[in-house]
Amino acid sequence: MRYWFDRTMSKGTPALIGWLGLASVALVVVVATAAVVLAPRDSEENGDWPGMVWRSLLRTLDPGTMGDDTGTGPFLALMLVSTVGGIFIVSSLIGVLTTGLEAKIGELRKGRSRIVEHGHTVLLGWSDQVFTVVAELVEANQSRRRSCVAILADRDKVEMEDAIRARVGDLGRTRIVCRTGDPLKVADVELVSPGTARSILIVTPELADADTRVIKVLLALGARNWGEQGPHVVAAVHDSANLPAARLAGGERAHVIDADDVAIRLIVQSHRQSGLSQVCTELLDFVGHEFYMRPEPSLAGRPFGEALSAYDLGVPGGLRRADGTVLLNPPMDTVLRADDEIIVLAEDDLLIRLASGAPPPVREEAISTAVAREPVPERTLMLGWNHRAPKIIELLDEFLAAGSELVVAAPREDPTAGLPAPANLKIDFVRAEPTERPSLESLGVGAYQKVIVLSDAGHDRDHADARTLVTLLHLRDMEDALGAPGDPPSRGAANPHTPRNDPFAIVSEINDDANREIAQVTKADDFIVSEKLISLMLTQLSENRHLYDVFVDLLDPAGSEIYLKPACDYLVPGAEANFATLIESARRRGEVALGYRLTARFHEPPGYGVILNPDKAAPLTLAADDRVIVLAEN
């Protein structure tokens, strides 16, 4: 009996409340029965046994009730017993309830209860990437009545919520639900209801071997049977060698990004055309303009070239066929099908609408004819060295004209000795310290058209960024000393016969986006913050998995890419036109105009001169040194 009682009491608050309830019933029944036996006259006056049960119950629950009692001595004594017993029982009940409530609140604060949500986004893991993703999802969900982001990480629930409130701020209509658990454990993952989620995003942890953990999480998710309506999974690996294993682990539902390859291609592409990194940030950031996929059966049978002027707000950039094939900047005579989805650049999907009237007039007198330019050799200086450098050199060799030169300057032994011989590049190595002014001056930076500053892999992220900032400040001061700075786009002229005092274009690699804001004072042309760009890309894929093929096509040199070309190739410099005229000028060249970049606002945040999807009818006048942002084959 004692063992049974011990097991019952160990069941917690419900069992304790049950025993107190039984004690209350026993006290009330015993006192009422004794009153009927010992004080029959008082019992009759109070309704016999049922009445005594009621009076005894009231005195048990409320000791003050006894103050109005009158009657014989035995009756008053029994009421006193009921009252004293009630004091002990009620006080014990209050203590048990308080303890139980505190335990329940503590359990809820631990984040171990299962959520019940549908169509939500799940984040598995924790790092600084969470803040960028949550901020973007909050912005993306502004047009929805209700949305939810569930986060599962091996951290305290309250700490996660406080960190998000401090770093993200206003969450708008988006609810953030945090749960504490290990993403590698199936039982813990169930806490965030992954089976009913719209998408699952695996956060890259801040560990030395982060890819291994990402692959293990992909394995745990890939082994589940979601059904046809299950969520799609997005993740990123930072070592290209791990990409095949990650995609195999994730299965068909997973889209895995090669973060290293994306960063390398952005560095090389930004080297070729100044300002590309800012354009990519605008396209991936939900605050600005991004790509949406929209069916338009009413345009079926019309060529793609005509669809460019079919929208009041929005610029078509390509098509997605019914079989999933993505065509960016297809031939202008490509016929639209009823089941095609048009890839539209717009500020928000709710703002996309077809034109209700005639399109804005095209001003023929403002359209200019492009002059063919033969590729010329370039001289590039690469400051620093990390694991991405060999791939960067390989891509530069593919893109640059024959006879181009690349000088690598780093504080180490020659790392280029074992690289394959390039076809177009002549590579030299100079041992130098990029953070020391005399060492930089000895390189003769004025003799180069392009400078690439790589993050130092031998230091932690903050220290590496600090070294990059010092190098950029030195380069900025040396650039000013070379003469009056020219316009930023002309830095890409890549002509070895230009005067040596021409300013050079600078592409720098930054690890932390907070340091990018500090680095703006150096007025470098492009800052490649790979971690933020990857976070933005993952967020876009979590909202629409079909955008994966769009991004792959944009980063693939074989397909259509984003180019910033001289405005004088499209519009007569200084001539009054409009964006509709710019779209028509690009269409005649087999290209899609997405916007333009103004040289005069090249270093003005937040857009840095980049304007995407402007009003088609608004007056537009571009200078010769401005840039037109287009989707083109080359």
Side-chain angles (χ1 to χ4, degrees), residues 18-38:
W19 278 112
L20 289 173
L22 289 176
S24 301
V25 171
L27 176 64
V28 169
V29 171
V30 169
V31 169
T33 303
V36 171
V37 174
L38 301 177

Side-chain angles (χ1 to χ4, degrees), residues 3 6 64 70 121 131 223 243 283 301 318 332 369 382 420 504 571 586 603:
Y3 175 60
D6 290 345
T70 58
T121 302
F131 305 116
L243 185 62
L283 290 174
M332 294 298 159
T369 304
M382 180 185 291
F504 39 80
L571 297 179
H603 291 301

Side-chain angles (χ1 to χ4, degrees), residues 182-226:
D182 188 349
L184 294 176
K185 296 180 179 179
V186 176
D188 288 355
V189 175
E190 287 298 325
L191 296 177
V192 290
S193 298
T196 59
R198 179 177 57 186
S199 60
I200 299 175
L201 192 154
I202 301 175
V203 177
T204 305
E206 295 174 346
L207 302 173
D209 196 10
D211 285 358
T212 300
R213 184 169 179 85
V214 170
I215 292 174
K216 290 174 69 177
V217 176
L218 284 169
L219 272 173
L221 295 176
R224 300 171 64 102
N225 183 16
W226 301 106

Side-chain angles (χ1 to χ4, degrees), residues 272-484:
R272 298 173 62 200
Q273 44 191 345
S274 177
L276 180 66
S277 64
Q278 183 59 35
V279 175
C280 291
T281 302
E282 285 284 326
L283 290 174
L284 296 174
D285 194 339
F286 279 106
V287 176
H289 294 74
E290 51 275 345
F291 286 115
Y292 295 94
M293 295 183 177
R294 185 182 181 92
E296 294 291 358
S298 61
L299 298 180
R302 298 173 61 180
F304 176 75
E306 290 186 13
L308 295 178
S309 58
Y311 289 89
D312 276 338
L313 296 174
V315 179
L319 306 172
R320 181 177 181 270
R321 298 294 195 188
D323 60 359
T325 303
V326 169
L327 303 174
L328 283 181
N329 183 34
M332 294 298 159
D333 58 355
T334 302
V335 178
L336 303 181
R337 303 172 184 170
D339 55 359
D340 284 343
E341 287 183 314
I342 300 180
I343 303 171
V344 183
L345 177 67
E347 186 175 0
D348 191 274
D349 55 346
L350 296 179
L351 299 178
I352 302 174
R353 64 172 183 265
L354 291 173
S356 56
V362 174
R363 302 185 179 181
E364 292 289 342
E365 68 278 6
I367 297 178
S368 64
T369 304
V371 178
R373 296 178 177 86
E374 292 295 329
V376 294
E378 302 181 25
R379 298 198 73 211
T380 301
L381 174 64
M382 180 185 291
L383 297 175
W385 187 269
N386 57 29
H387 67 284
R388 294 172 177 164
K391 184 65 175 178
I392 292 174
I393 294 176
E394 180 183 339
L395 287 179
L396 285 175
D397 184 51
E398 294 180 11
F399 290 132
L400 296 182
S404 297
E405 298 179 40
L406 173 67
V407 175
V408 178
R412 53 175 296 168
E413 296 296 328
D414 185 1
T416 65
L419 298 179
N424 298 320
L425 276 178
K426 176 187 175 184
I427 303 178
D428 292 319
F429 175 78
V430 178
R431 191 183 182 97
E433 175 54 69
T435 60
E436 296 179 0
R437 179 63 175 265
S439 185
L440 282 176
E441 290 178 341
S442 67
L443 297 174
V445 292
Y448 301 92
Q449 289 82 44
K450 306 288 180 64
V451 178
I452 300 175
V453 182
L454 296 182
S455 178
D456 194 337
H459 302 275
D460 61 71
R461 292 161 53 91
D462 287 337
H463 191 188
D465 281 354
R467 289 174 57 85
T468 300
L469 292 176
V470 171
T471 302
L472 291 175
L473 286 171
H474 285 317
L475 290 173
R476 169 65 174 163
D477 188 54
M478 294 168 66
E479 182 185 49
D480 290 343
L482 289 173

